């Protein structure tokens, strides 16, 4: 006679609640919440970094460790370059797999956060806080935005190194592994350097006998990083003028924005209602909503931290040490994104990925200190919060369905010249020139000095047949902010080509002459000037100009044009470069 099989019980999914069951729940909830993002396309920088990036389509170590879209100016991120090269090799342009591995990485990171939190906070509470980290709507930008794999990877490898250093026993193999993880963290994104400080702080507070080990590991990782970046990649720290308003401010001006930046992250963490990309706002005046209210919130937050720290210091020294650890974690994460060092946006939800762990740790210590007696009420509130956050994340995933959907949704919330230009570009790609012109015009209204949107607006007017307005905006490109000389010269080249193609050689000649005052060694500009002169019947001037084009590097194409001019043949206008 067979024993009666035990019937399934929902209660058995939780009781006894083990680490393995917690991991299973994290996986299931993560897949459910981010499931609809699997069917999204490429959005925002996904297009330039993945879809149209020739560097990831050929597996080449020189492009992985050398100059590329991932390794340029002050940015050196060969690990994402390697990752996307492997992904393209395996899956080509199929966005589904890129989104799938984004979700997987985030789920793994959440499991590691759970392992970390349960070292300091009660098991069940650590699980709940980990789920907040998993499903919080601010995390959608880190998950749905596949191009920012570096944000997920620096966290993955950094927290892995930290967990190794916090283990009871530390063998030689584990030290080597931790060294590798710290190196991979900083090779994923410069923010990985935060984990060097966090690892040092952790052993200082809990494993003082390992201070020398962590110091040695950090030095070794930093030296290897320096060798790869400066020795192999030849990527040095290069100042790059920015178009983002906050990057144009002085240090004092950026400091005035700090209370509002801090307020944004705290407000959005607790009330993630309006989630927007491309936030480039700055404080325009010192008033109640823009400065004094955020400053008051910041001061109240500091007072709250002081009171909690004082209470824990008096009542529970072990919890107080944990409090110091999480305050430092949160503080370091906020500091690096506080615009002390100018960044390419004012705030970004994905930048809160690291600080969120510190904030969750402090919240966990606060809940433990309050010691709620009616735990079922707390459980009900916790479940409600998780449900609300999960639904908000699912809705936000849908906003990331494609480029145009995301931009149009977010443009209804904030005004952003980059976003309006990108909407116009999407309409241009489907040949809807009236709609493209509308959004290019809005972009120029928001920033009248950005060469790209001026160029795009002028070009759309050309296509729509309005030569007068097209000419007006092409000439405005000459007075644009040359935030990056290489890109600005490229804009001038495109404008020159457009005026030659759509307008007249007289107009083109005038424009190109002014452009050469700014970039006298641009061979493409000399090439187009030669064609203008030739069309005007000035053959001798055209020959002089095409010789200058040859001198400055456009040799094969310019030699061909030189022969055509010398033979008095018609010239086919080369496409812009």
């Amino acid at each position: 006679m067979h024993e009666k099989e035990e019937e399934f019980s929902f209660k058995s999914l939780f009781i006894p609640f083990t680490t393995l069951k917690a991991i299973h729940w994290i996986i299931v909830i993560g897949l459910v919440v981010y499931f609809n993002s699997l069917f999204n396309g490429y959005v925002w920088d996904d297009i330039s970094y993945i879809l149209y990036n020739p560097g990831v389509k050929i597996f080449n170590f020189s492009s992985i460790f050398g100059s590329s879209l991932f390794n340029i100016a002050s940015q050196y991120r060969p690990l994402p370059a390697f990752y996307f090269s492997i992904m393209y090799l395996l899956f080509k342009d199929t966005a589904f797999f890129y989104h799938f591995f984004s979700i997987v990485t985030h789920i793994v990171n959440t499991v590691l956060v759970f392992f970390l939190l349960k070292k300091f906070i009660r098991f069940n509470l650590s699980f709940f806080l980990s789920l907040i980290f998993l499903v919080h709507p601010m995390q959608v930008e880190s998950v749905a935005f596949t191009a920012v794999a570096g944000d997920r990877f620096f966290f993955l490898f950094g927290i892995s190194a930290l967990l190794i250093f916090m283990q009871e026993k530390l063998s030689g193999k584990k030290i080597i592994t931790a060294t590798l993880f710290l190196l991979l963290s900083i090779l994923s994104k410069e923010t990985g350097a935060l984990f060097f400080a966090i690892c040092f702080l952790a052993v200082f507070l809990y494993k003082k006998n390992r201070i020398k080990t962590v110091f040695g590991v950090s030095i070794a990782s930093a030296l290897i990083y320096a060798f790869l970046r400066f020795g192999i990649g030849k990527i040095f720290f290069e100042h790059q003028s920015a178009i983002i308003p906050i990057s144009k401010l002085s240090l004092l001006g950026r400091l005035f924005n700090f209370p509002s930046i801090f307020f944004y992250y705290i407000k959005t963490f607790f009330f993630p209602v309006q989630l927007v990309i491309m936030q480039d706002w700055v404080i325009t005046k010192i008033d109640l909503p823009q400065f004094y209210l955020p400053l008051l919130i910041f001061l109240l937050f500091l007072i709250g931290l002081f009171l909690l720290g004082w209470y824990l210091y008096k009542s529970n020294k072990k919890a107080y040490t944990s409090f110091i650890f999480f305050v430092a974690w949160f503080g370091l994460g906020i500091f690096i994104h506080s615009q002390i060092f100018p960044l390419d946006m004012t705030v970004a939800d994905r930048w809160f990925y690291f600080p969120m762990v510190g904030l969750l740790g402090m919240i966990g210590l606060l809940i433990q200190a309050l010691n709620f007696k009616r735990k079922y009420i707390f459980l009900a509130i916790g479940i409600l919060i998780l449900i609300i956050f999960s639904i908000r994340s699912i809705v936000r995933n849908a906003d990331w369905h494609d480029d145009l959907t995301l931009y149009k949704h977010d443009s209804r919330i904030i005004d952003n010249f980059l976003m309006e230009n990108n909407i116009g570009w999407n309409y241009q790609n489907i040949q809807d020139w009236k709609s493209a012109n509308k959004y290019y015009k809005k972009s120029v209204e928001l920033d009248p000095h950005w060469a790209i949107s001026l160029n795009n607006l002028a070009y759309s007017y050309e296509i729509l047949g309005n030569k007068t307005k097209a000419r007006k905006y092409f000439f405005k490109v000459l007075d644009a902010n040359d935030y990056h000389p290489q890109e600005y010269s490229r804009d001038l080249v495109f404008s020159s080509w457009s005026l030659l193609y759509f307008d007249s050689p007289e107009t083109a000649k005038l424009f190109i002459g002014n452009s050469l005052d700014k970039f006298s060694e641009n061979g493409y500009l000399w090439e187009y000037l030669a064609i203008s002169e030739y069309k005007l019947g000035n053959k001798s001037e055209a020959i002089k100009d095409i010789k200058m084009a040859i001198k400055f590097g456009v040799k094969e194409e310019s030699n061909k044009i030189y022969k055509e001019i010398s033979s008095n043949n018609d010239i086919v206008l080369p496409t812009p470069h």
Side-chain angles (χ1 to χ4, degrees):
M1 194 170 173
H2 296 288
E3 286 186 24
K4 185 179 179 181
E5 292 185 5
E6 187 176 340
E7 293 184 3
F8 170 78
S9 168
F10 183 76
K11 186 178 180 182
S12 66
L13 295 174
F14 295 94
I15 300 175
F17 194 54
T18 63
T19 296
L20 186 60
K21 287 181 180 178
I23 293 171
H24 285 157
W25 275 110
I26 288 171
I27 293 171
V28 170
I29 293 171
L31 291 174
V32 169
V33 170
Y34 295 103
F35 180 77
N36 62 329
S37 72
L38 287 169
F39 308 100
N40 291 350
Y42 293 107
V43 174
W44 197 3
D45 282 346
D46 292 347
I47 295 168
S48 56
Y49 277 85
I50 304 171
L51 196 59
Y52 296 144
N53 183 4
V56 304
K57 297 182 179 181
I58 300 174
F59 191 83
N60 188 325
F61 278 101
S62 63
S63 64
I64 289 171
F65 290 99
S67 180
S68 69
L69 271 178
F70 296 95
N71 308 325
I72 188 170
S74 59
Q75 174 180 298
Y76 188 65
R77 301 169 186 177
L79 188 63
F82 175 78
Y83 167 74
F84 285 122
S85 293
I86 294 294
M87 289 293 289
Y88 189 83
L89 185 67
L90 295 173
F91 306 115
K92 298 298 187 256
D93 294 332
T94 308
F96 176 91
F97 295 103
Y98 293 82
H99 290 297
F100 175 75
F101 284 105
S102 291
I103 296 170
V104 169
T105 311
H106 181 56
I107 289 173
V108 172
N109 284 342
T110 302
V111 171
L112 295 176
V113 168
F114 171 60
F115 286 156
L116 177 72
L117 291 176
K118 70 190 185 75
K119 290 179 178 295
F120 308 96
I121 299 166
R122 288 196 304 264
F123 185 91
N124 290 349
L125 182 55
S126 297
F127 173 67
F128 167 73
L129 294 170
S130 301
L131 291 182
I132 294 291
F133 179 85
L134 176 69
V135 305
H136 197 286
M138 292 182 80
Q139 306 290 42
V140 172
E141 185 171 306
S142 297
V143 180
F145 192 7
T146 59
V148 296
D151 291 67
R152 300 184 296 272
F153 287 156
F154 98 79
F155 188 91
L156 169 66
F157 293 114
I159 196 171
S160 297
L162 173 63
L163 288 169
I164 288 174
F165 285 127
M166 295 187 72
Q167 289 181 358
E168 287 301 318
K169 294 182 179 181
L170 193 62
S171 64
K173 288 183 179 179
K174 289 180 180 179
I175 292 172
I176 293 172
T177 304
T179 305
L180 177 62
F181 282 161
L182 282 179
L183 176 62
L184 292 174
S185 180
I186 198 170
L187 287 175
S188 300
K189 191 179 180 182
E190 295 71 23
T191 320
L194 291 174
F195 278 106
F196 287 66
I198 288 296
C199 289
F200 189 85
L201 176 64
V203 297
F204 177 79
L205 293 174
Y206 297 101
K207 308 280 185 182
K208 283 188 170 59
N209 60 320
R210 296 178 182 173
I211 289 178
K212 289 182 179 180
T213 301
V214 172
F215 182 76
V217 164
S218 299
I219 293 296
S221 300
L223 287 175
I224 298 171
Y225 171 81
F227 172 74
L228 291 173
R229 176 171 183 148
F230 306 123
I232 303 296
K234 307 295 182 186
I235 307 297
F236 300 94
F237 296 106
E238 174 189 335
H239 174 70
Q240 185 173 357
S241 302
I243 56 173
I244 303 302
I246 200 160
S247 297
K248 299 176 183 178
L249 299 179
S250 65
L251 175 60
L252 183 61
R254 298 196 301 274
L255 286 174
F256 273 114
N257 280 269
F258 173 72
S260 291
I261 291 170
F262 179 85
F263 179 61
Y264 170 81
Y265 287 120
I266 293 300
K267 174 195 69 176
T268 310
F269 176 79
F270 288 104
F271 304 101
V273 179
Q274 290 190 333
L275 303 171
V276 186
I277 64 167
M278 289 189 185
Q279 299 204 46
D280 63 357
W281 48 265
V282 295
I283 290 177
T284 55
K285 55 185 176 179
I286 307 299
D287 60 8
L288 181 63
Q290 292 192 72
F291 183 76
Y292 291 112
L293 179 59
L295 180 62
L296 176 62
I297 298 298
F298 175 64
L299 294 175
L300 289 174
F301 185 85
L302 290 181
I303 292 169
L305 286 185
F306 175 80
L307 293 175
L308 177 58
W310 181 259
Y311 174 79
L312 293 175
Y313 179 78
K314 292 292 187 182
S315 61
N316 188 333
K317 290 294 193 297
K318 184 178 178 181
Y320 175 73
T321 304
S322 302
F323 173 76
I324 295 297
F325 177 73
F326 285 117
V327 168
W329 184 305
F330 177 76
L332 282 169
I334 290 295
F335 172 79
I336 205 72
H337 298 112
S338 66
Q339 301 294 340
I340 298 296
F341 310 103
L343 304 171
D344 57 3
M345 274 179 285
T346 306
V347 294
D349 289 350
R350 67 182 183 276
W351 293 346
F352 204 63
Y353 201 86
F354 178 92
M356 188 182 291
V357 176
L359 184 58
L360 288 170
M362 291 187 287
I363 291 172
L365 293 171
L366 173 63
I367 293 171
Q368 280 191 166
L370 293 175
N371 195 24
F372 291 104
K373 292 183 179 179
R374 297 184 178 179
K375 289 185 171 50
Y376 287 103
I377 295 176
F378 175 77
L379 178 63
I381 294 172
I383 292 173
L384 180 62
I385 291 171
L386 288 173
I387 291 172
I388 292 172
F389 280 0
S390 297
I391 293 172
R392 182 68 186 96
S393 290
I394 292 169
V395 171
R396 183 57 176 165
N397 288 335
D399 294 338
W400 285 77
H401 182 265
D402 57 62
D403 223 26
L404 196 54
T405 301
L406 178 65
Y407 291 143
K408 291 195 74 173
H409 172 273
D410 288 11
S411 69
R412 291 192 288 267
I413 300 173
I414 63 167
D415 288 328
N416 182 289
F417 69 100
L418 290 166
M419 197 179 302
E420 299 297 333
N421 178 77
N422 288 356
I423 296 173
W425 182 255
N426 275 272
Y427 278 115
Q428 179 176 323
N429 285 339
I430 58 174
Q431 303 296 304
D432 185 348
W433 288 99
K434 285 187 178 180
S435 297
N437 178 267
K438 170 188 170 184
Y439 287 100
Y440 289 147
K441 195 184 301 180
K442 179 73 178 293
S443 178
V444 169
E445 288 171 1
L446 293 171
D447 187 342
H449 305 292
W450 189 38
I452 291 177
S453 56
L454 287 167
N455 229 322
N456 289 338
L457 178 60
Y459 188 68
S460 67
Y461 273 125
E462 287 282 17
I463 298 296
L464 293 170
N466 192 333
K467 291 186 180 295
T468 303
K469 285 195 173 181
R471 189 179 299 159
K472 170 187 172 182
Y473 285 104
F474 274 130
F475 275 88
K476 281 182 177 290
V477 175
L478 290 168
D479 299 320
N481 293 335
D482 50 339
Y483 61 91
H484 191 285
Q486 185 179 354
E487 293 183 8
Y488 184 45
S489 64
R490 186 185 63 205
D491 294 329
L492 293 174
V493 167
F494 181 79
S495 297
S496 302
W497 177 88
S498 299
L499 288 167
L500 261 176
Y501 188 86
F502 291 104
D503 207 293
S504 67
E506 293 91 350
T507 304
K509 177 184 173 181
L510 177 61
F511 181 89
I512 297 166
N514 288 327
S515 299
L516 283 167
D517 289 340
K518 296 174 180 286
F519 298 99
S520 60
E521 296 184 1
N522 187 304
Y524 299 113
L525 291 174
W526 282 110
E527 188 179 271
Y528 289 144
L529 183 60
I531 296 172
S532 301
E533 293 284 13
Y534 185 64
K535 287 180 179 290
L536 291 168
N538 304 324
K539 182 177 177 180
S540 60
E541 290 298 319
I543 289 176
K544 289 180 185 177
D545 295 335
I546 202 65
K547 286 181 177 178
M548 294 296 286
I550 294 170
K551 176 183 177 181
F552 292 121
V554 197
K555 294 180 181 176
E556 184 178 347
E557 185 178 273
S558 296
N559 276 319
K560 182 180 178 182
I561 294 172
Y562 178 75
K563 291 177 182 177
E564 300 295 336
I565 293 173
S566 300
S567 304
N568 295 316
N569 294 329
D570 290 336
I571 298 174
V572 177
L573 182 63
T575 54
H577 300 270

